[in-house]
Amino acid sequence: LDTANAQEVARLNAAMPVYGVTTNPSILAKEGKGLSIVLPEIKEVLGEQARFHVQVVSTTTEGMVEEAVQLSQLPYDIVVKVPTTVIGLAAIKQLKAKNISILATAIYSAQQGFMAALCGADYLAPYVNRIDVLGASSVNIVSDLQLLINQQNLDCKLLPASFKNTRQVMDILRLGVD
Ligand code: G3P
């Protein structure tokens, strides 16, 4: 689930398999709560299996690396989200060397995602709806990314994000992404 609202997590967890939640700075801001409140609230709902995706907010490589290290030391199963910019790619490279689990986020093209995978990202998050509203094809981009991962034998999985309707979800599932 892409939310920081523990009530929503509880409501949906009752009716479907939920393994974790992804957040980003705007999702946390909307909730008006910080990580120190949101993470325990949601872990209380999902239990020990809860996996969290939490994004860094620094705008420098050094800051992103420092933040990611701090996040990885919290007592939760956390995948650190890093924006896939040039600055972020440099952080991903360094974090890979530190064995920190990374999701490269805000991906709008196959080339951008491929670079993140080559730098060592564990997960790639192409922004399905945002790609489509910009006039490109999320289906083509996600399928190219899966092709590149397979062809290059990269240790990386797709975690497409920014879904706004069930047709987008089905279009992406139909591709057979990891
Ligand atoms: O959390 C990343 C992504 O799912 C957010 O997408 O388009 O709802 O801002 P969006």
Side-chain angles (χ1 to χ4, degrees):
L1 299 175
D2 212 14
T3 179
N5 185 302
Q7 283 77 39
E8 275 299 275
V9 174
R11 185 176 73 82
L12 294 163
N13 185 48
M16 61 179 76
V18 176
Y19 301 104
V21 302
T22 64
T23 65
N24 63 30
S26 54
I27 289 172
L28 286 169
K30 198 166 83 181
E31 217 44 51
K33 293 177 182 172
L35 284 177
S36 59
I37 294 174
V38 164
L39 297 182
E41 270 183 3
I42 295 178
K43 191 170 179 178
E44 174 88 22
V45 175
L46 294 180
E48 284 304 314
Q49 64 155 11
R51 168 166 264 208
F52 297 95
H53 288 241
V54 182
Q55 191 166 328
V56 295
V57 292
S58 300
T59 53
T60 62
T61 297
E62 194 183 41
M64 287 179 183
V65 170
E66 200 176 309
E67 244 187 280
V69 169
Q70 284 168 3
L71 287 170
S72 72
Q73 287 167 348
L74 294 175
Y76 301 95
D77 178 4
I78 291 181
V79 176
V80 180
K81 294 172 71 171
V82 178
T84 317
T85 57
V86 173
I87 287 168
L89 287 170
I92 292 170
K93 247 182 121 168
Q94 289 185 34
L95 292 166
K96 179 69 177 179
K98 294 182 189 294
N99 219 13
I100 290 175
S101 188
I102 297 295
L103 176 139
T105 193
I107 291 172
Y108 288 80
S109 74
Q111 293 83 351
Q112 189 190 3
F114 186 42
M115 289 301 294
L118 292 174
C119 283
D122 301 279
Y123 301 94
L124 305 180
Y127 274 8
V128 171
N129 186 68
R130 290 181 186 234
I131 290 170
D132 289 340
V133 296
L134 285 171
S137 161
S138 60
V139 165
N140 288 348
I141 288 169
V142 171
S143 109
D144 279 351
L145 276 170
Q146 188 65 59
L147 181 81
L148 290 165
I149 288 170
N150 295 347
Q151 280 184 344
Q152 306 290 326
N153 207 16
L154 297 169
D155 192 13
C156 181
K157 287 187 174 178
L158 289 173
L159 202 156
S162 178
F163 289 105
K164 297 300 171 205
N165 59 62
T166 51
R167 197 200 68 193
Q168 289 171 331
V169 176
M170 189 49 73
D171 285 348
I172 296 299
L173 283 175
R174 204 177 281 123
L175 297 173
V177 296
D178 282 345

